[in-house]
Amino acid sequence: MLTSIVGINWGDEGKGRMVDLLSEKQDVVVRYQGGNNAGHTVINDKGKFVLNLLPSAILREDKVNVMGNGMVVDIEHLCKEIAKLREGGIVITPQNLKISDKAVVCCPYNVAQDCLEEDRLGDKKFGSTRRGISPIYADKYMKKAIRMGDILHPEYLRSRLETIVEWKNLTIEGSYHAQGYTVEGLLEWFDKYGTPLKDYICDTGYYLDKALKAGKNVMLEAQLGALRDIDFGIYPYTTSSSTITAYGPVGAGIPNHKVENAIGVMKAYSTCVGEGPFTAEMFGEEAEQLRKAGGEYGAATGRPRRVGAFDVVASRYGIRMQGADEIALTKLDVLSYLDAIPVCTAYEVGDKITTEFPFGEDLNIAKPEFTVLKGWKCDISKCRKPEDLPKEAVDYIRFIEKATECKIKYVSVGAEREDYIVMY
Ligand code: GDP
Ligand code: MG
């Protein structure tokens, strides 16, 4: 069976912890897009881990983890991430980690390009994570990228680099007047960080197809959320890849399989990292309190996240784009300090009220309409059954469920593995 765990909002919904929890019943977990701009925090009996590139089931001993062809892989970052996990006692071998030969390598010049461009933009910056993600996806579609499988063929790797580096320096030296790159320098980098990964590189699509046909359970783990999807998100403040369920089988290398259950991870309030329209945003003291209560600082970058009320308009759209069959509502415990909880239920766009997610300039000028629900004002982090929850918390869940038109199956009330409630 093929399942997906995907983000309904702007990312950081708690996908990592839901994958860590729900991967118990899985055999294989696959990342299918994005790179080390992801930050998935998992807290379990082994400690606290931040995963950027590795699938979140790497922390479970008996699971196979796959990095799919849709990913962009900074091999230096990957080697360091693996080393750090090993220090924490996690075992990583070619048996439990497989990297697609078709995944693209994010190179040092991509990282440089990302930083040079953000710096050039100054106060018009996009809020990039500066990890080279958009330049390397652009290179991929310009067919000027190195793929993981090229590491296994040194002569071919050299010839590809000769073509690419000459072209890349036209931009880095010619346009930005920065230090260019050499083929020899990059070959050294590939030798240092590519060689240790050689045994992990394989045709992961073939592996996954066989696993599914043998009746294994495979879970696709997304990075970011629907509102960051390159096609359907808040372009241009999106990521550079497809974050949606429908892309999952492509990015995993198994387009011949269909996702049978899509689990959407949705946060009980809103957060957004970086720039872009964020209609339900809170400001000042109100925002500061929520940010503190939720610990809303980027896992990958440490940046304070923008925070806001739960947004029905954006979330219902996110659920539709993800084709979510059921929802995991996360971080409900964070709202326990509030007497009254605002929920954004509609947008005012010019002289119209709408519940459909608008685009472009309409989204930029949209103003939130709020409904205010009663808070529960008590600690819910020890609740483990729906009956344990105070009435106001159940009312909040049911209100959101009805408004977004999707069944809320799980509710998480704390960051640790066991801090959750099954609602149905
Ligand atoms: P991801 O990118 O979607 O995997 O999410 P992040 O890991 O970036 O952000 C989620 C943060 O919330 C992490 O620090 C988690 O440890 C934490 N978290 C997840 N679920 C809960 C929850 O139910 N309650 C609380 N208080 N924290 C949670
Ligand atoms: Mg995150």
Side-chain angles (χ1 to χ4, degrees):
M1 169 143 167
L2 186 60
T3 307
S4 70
I5 292 212
V6 289
I8 296 300
N9 309 119
W10 296 263
D12 303 320
E13 298 93 345
K15 294 174 295 295
R17 69 95 52 168
M18 289 313 298
V19 173
D20 177 64
L21 173 67
L22 299 175
S23 58
E24 191 183 358
K25 295 199 179 74
Q26 302 295 320
D27 301 295
V28 187
V29 173
V30 193
R31 276 275 310 269
Y32 62 85
Q33 43 81 226
N36 59 318
N37 52 335
H40 298 172
T41 318
V42 179
I43 304 172
N44 58 29
D45 45 359
K46 296 202 185 80
K48 178 175 174 173
F49 302 91
V50 175
L51 301 166
N52 301 129
L53 281 163
L54 292 164
S56 299
I58 198 76
L59 306 171
R60 287 190 182 269
E61 263 151 46
D62 52 338
K63 310 296 172 193
V64 176
N65 293 267
V66 171
M67 296 171 59
N69 53 276
M71 288 190 77
V72 292
V73 184
D74 180 333
I75 52 176
E76 178 175 347
H77 192 98
L78 181 59
C79 285
K80 290 176 179 167
E81 191 172 324
I82 290 173
K84 205 158 169 202
L85 286 180
R86 283 189 178 139
E87 275 169 34
I90 307 298
V91 178
I92 302 174
T93 69
Q95 269 61 56
N96 71 343
L97 176 64
K98 298 182 190 298
I99 308 170
S100 170
D101 50 4
K102 296 172 197 69
V104 159
V105 183
C106 183
C107 290
Y109 51 75
N110 297 120
V111 179
Q113 216 184 332
D114 202 356
C115 297
L116 288 166
E117 180 57 12
E118 277 291 282
D119 291 343
R120 187 190 70 83
L121 285 167
D123 43 347
K124 290 200 214 81
K125 69 182 188 316
F126 274 86
S128 162
T129 50
R130 295 173 175 257
R131 299 211 161 161
I133 307 302
S134 78
I136 185 55
Y137 271 112
D139 286 7
K140 170 176 173 175
Y141 287 98
M142 291 184 82
K143 293 153 290 183
K144 288 195 168 71
I146 306 283
R147 304 206 288 180
M148 289 301 294
D150 300 340
I151 293 171
L152 305 177
H153 303 281
E155 283 314 309
Y156 182 67
L157 175 64
R158 173 182 283 275
S159 74
R160 284 290 287 158
L161 277 173
E162 278 164 1
T163 314
I164 293 168
V165 169
E166 188 185 346
W167 167 75
K168 191 54 78 179
N169 282 342
L170 292 177
T171 309
I172 294 198
E173 296 175 336
S175 298
Y176 292 105
H177 310 295
Q179 179 72 48
Y181 287 80
T182 63
V183 172
E184 295 311 319
L186 285 160
L187 281 170
E188 267 173 44
W189 184 78
F190 272 100
D191 190 42
K192 185 164 178 194
Y193 300 111
T195 309
L197 298 173
K198 274 186 173 166
D199 293 344
Y200 297 81
I201 301 167
C202 60
D203 185 336
T204 52
Y206 188 63
Y207 168 78
L208 289 170
D209 183 50
K210 276 205 299 188
L212 281 162
K213 284 177 177 158
K216 301 246 190 242
N217 289 322
V218 175
M219 176 175 267
L220 304 174
E221 174 183 14
Q223 176 219 359
L224 290 164
L227 297 159
R228 298 290 189 189
D229 180 79
I230 182 77
D231 286 281
F232 305 113
I234 52 169
Y235 191 89
Y237 301 99
T238 56
T239 195
S240 304
S241 60
S242 298
T243 62
I244 56 168
T245 293
Y247 178 75
V250 176
I254 41 170
N256 52 326
H257 292 271
K258 287 194 174 63
V259 174
E260 288 161 81
N261 189 31
I263 303 168
V265 185
M266 183 165 89
K267 191 142 57 177
Y269 53 95
S270 300
T271 62
C272 172
V273 177
E275 313 300 316
F278 185 40
T279 312
E281 184 162 15
M282 290 175 185
F283 300 94
E285 185 52 31
E286 191 188 20
E288 197 48 48
Q289 275 187 325
L290 181 54
R291 186 176 301 116
K292 261 207 205 109
E296 296 298 347
Y297 303 89
T301 58
R303 289 185 287 182
R305 292 171 181 157
R306 296 159 75 193
V307 298
F310 182 83
D311 186 332
V312 170
V313 179
S315 299
R316 193 173 44 214
Y317 173 76
I319 287 171
R320 180 159 70 89
M321 289 304 114
Q322 291 292 16
D325 298 301
E326 54 193 29
I327 291 295
L329 185 72
T330 55
K331 304 191 84 163
L332 189 67
D333 56 301
V334 170
L335 301 178
S336 298
Y337 74 96
L338 285 163
D339 293 311
I341 311 175
V343 174
C344 171
T345 44
Y347 292 175
E348 187 190 306
V349 180
D351 53 8
K352 288 199 189 72
I353 302 289
T354 182
T355 54
E356 279 181 21
F357 193 65
F359 272 94
E361 193 51 14
D362 281 349
L363 181 61
N364 292 336
I365 62 165
K367 294 201 173 59
E369 296 259 310
F370 292 106
T371 300
V372 179
L373 303 189
K374 203 164 173 276
W376 46 91
K377 292 285 279 179
C378 62
D379 180 13
I380 58 168
S381 64
K382 302 284 173 305
C383 297
R384 294 292 175 269
K385 301 191 292 294
E387 310 84 86
D388 298 344
L389 286 167
K391 179 183 178 298
E392 292 81 2
V394 175
D395 288 349
Y396 186 77
I397 297 166
R398 296 295 171 225
F399 181 88
I400 287 180
E401 185 168 59
K402 193 159 174 241
T404 57
E405 297 164 40
C406 193
K407 187 172 79 179
I408 296 177
K409 173 138 183 214
Y410 308 95
V411 172
S412 81
V413 290
E416 294 189 31
R417 197 180 265 174
E418 300 308 322
D419 301 342
Y420 72 101
I421 300 167
V422 180
M423 297 300 290
Y424 290 97

